[in-house]
Structures are given as structure tokens and as C-alpha cells.
Amino acid sequence: MKIVSWNVNGLRSVLGKGFSTWLANERADIVGIQEVRAQEAQLGPCLESIGGAWLRAFSAAERPGYSGVGLLSRLPADKISTSLKDATFDAEGRVQIARYGRLTLANVYFPNGSGPNRDNSRIPFKLAFYRRLFDVLEVRRRRGEPILVMGDFNTAHREIDLARPKENVKTSGFTPEEREELDRWIRAGYVDTFRVFEPGPGHYSWWSQRFGVRAKNVGWRIDYVLASEGAAKHLKGAFLSPHVTGSDHCPVGVELDDAIVG
């Protein structure tokens, strides 16, 4: 089984930049996308290009052109929830929690903490969102169920996960309190799947759109697939795809034993 996550920075935009060809060639079973930035009704004509083999589900923000997540799957989900039981979070269309047999798959676009004035004013909201999602999943994790949490986490976990850590210690996405929240998930038993297979530097999933930044690989690794202990035992591989363009993020993903769905 292959599961892929990609912040597409606008689905309608990326559909005009080769998304359908990428999707056909990727041979994934499930694709989670973030930052859809459209209501589902606006996507109809665009989605015709991806073909009829995919089951589709979307959750949009109340604010037009903002946030939003979607799942494209070759497998029918038993259930998809889009609520964290908090109206403030739910209004932003940031989460889908899907059940595929035994597997719980959370497709998530975590908030950016920068705030409208780039003053880190939204970090408290961001951390509260992390904690609420953690709590929603915790009963299943404690039971040993397989859980994958994938998406744009908007946080680089360690210094190795961004090109210029020293210059960014006060930048949202690499502040001590944001990194500590990711540490808390890891201490609880979640596994950073990419680091199981690749311990080295220079691997990023997001680059500024300023000219030449991506070519120089001055990036951040802020897109992850975290696996609970119950899911990690089914892990066979994990990857980033920096050669795939069309967004300021690249796809990330995992390969798993089919038994994960039970």
C-alpha cells in the first residue's frame, strides 16, 4: 500500500501544472492533499481530468479560497470525520480523519503560527490545534490501533530539517514551543516515518517561492507522515519527492504492508 500527502497550494492551480499526470504515474492507493483553497462545487470541472478511478472527499474552510483538505482514494473509506468538535478549528477546514478497516488516517493541514502581521501571534492557536487533534486520536493510539497522521505540519522538527536553523529560531515553524509539541508526539510513541529510513541532512519538502531558492535547496521539511506504534510495524518505506513541482511543497509518502488495514 502506498499513501501520499501533498500540500498543493491551490488544487485548481496545480491541476493546470501536471497534477493529473503525476497522480496517474504515482500509483498511490490514497492521496491526501492540503491547501485545496476551493469549495468542492468549484472543483467539479477541474477534477474531470483525474479520471473516475478515484473516490473523492473534501473539507473546505468557511472562508473562501482558504485552507481546505481532500482525500483521493482507490479504497472506500468506512468513515470520514471532518470535525475536531471545536467550532473555531472546524471552520478552517483543516482535517479529515478517515477509517480504512483497522487503519485511522488523518489528513491534516496544521495552522501556520505567523499571524497576519508575521508576529507569531497565531502560535497559541496552532499549538491548541495540535493538542486537540492529539487528544482526538489518543484513545485509538492507546488501544494500539494503527494511525497515520499526514500533512503539512508547518513545523520543522529538528535543526537537520531546515537549511538555515540558526537564522530561524524566532520564526514560526521553528520556535522552541512548536518543536516541543512535535517532540511530545514522538515521546508518546509516534514515529517520524521519513527519519526511519533517512537520517541525513538536505531533505526538504517546502521552499520559498523567491527566485532560485528551490534550485539552491534552501528549504524546510515541514510535511510529515507520523505513524503510531501500531502503524509503524507495517512500515516498508518512506520518501520525499522534491523533483515533483507545481507547488511550493513537494509530495511525501509511505509504503506499507497491506495488512495495516486488517
Side-chain angles (χ1 to χ4, degrees), residues 62-196:
E62 292 179 3
R63 174 180 158 191
Y66 178 73
S67 189
V69 289
L71 282 167
L72 305 173
S73 176
R74 298 185 188 276
L75 308 173
D78 300 314
K79 180 181 179 181
I80 301 177
S81 171
T82 60
S83 176
L84 293 178
K85 303 297 188 289
D86 184 305
T88 306
F89 296 142
D90 293 347
E92 297 203 356
R94 292 185 177 276
V95 64
Q96 294 169 299
I97 302 174
R99 288 298 296 260
Y100 296 92
R102 293 174 58 248
L103 173 66
T104 295
L105 176 65
N107 176 39
V108 190
Y109 178 36
F110 289 83
N112 187 306
S114 292
N117 298 315
R118 304 193 66 82
D119 56 1
N120 292 351
S121 59
R122 223 170 181 236
I123 288 178
F125 177 86
K126 175 182 180 177
L127 295 178
F129 181 96
Y130 265 88
R131 291 164 187 155
R132 179 59 187 155
L133 177 63
F134 182 95
D135 291 345
V136 166
L137 299 173
E138 184 64 357
V139 171
R140 300 177 198 183
R141 189 196 66 79
R142 287 181 178 272
R143 288 199 297 251
E145 296 181 18
I147 303 168
L148 296 175
V149 184
M150 68 178 183
D152 177 359
F153 280 64
N154 260 314
T155 301
H157 185 207
R158 297 185 294 150
E159 289 194 357
I160 199 174
D161 294 317
L162 69 167
R164 294 176 177 168
K166 291 182 174 57
E167 293 94 323
N168 285 288
V169 291
K170 295 183 180 180
T171 302
S172 178
F174 198 61
T175 64
E177 57 264 46
E178 291 167 292
R179 296 170 64 195
E180 166 57 26
E181 180 59 23
L182 262 184
D183 281 336
R184 187 175 73 90
W185 286 62
I186 300 301
R187 289 195 301 269
Y190 283 96
V191 174
D192 179 351
T193 55
F194 181 74
R195 288 300 180 202
V196 172

Side-chain angles (χ1 to χ4, degrees), residues 4-8 14 17-19 21-23 25-26 204-205 207 214 239-252:
V4 181
S5 170
W6 192 6
N7 179 324
V8 294
V14 81
K17 300 175 183 177
F19 179 83
T21 300
W22 168 81
L23 188 64
N25 293 337
E26 189 68 6
Y204 310 123
S205 64
W207 302 262
R214 188 162 183 168
F239 57 89
L240 306 177
S241 301
H243 60 284
V244 177
T245 58
S247 169
D248 51 350
H249 295 250
C250 76
V252 305

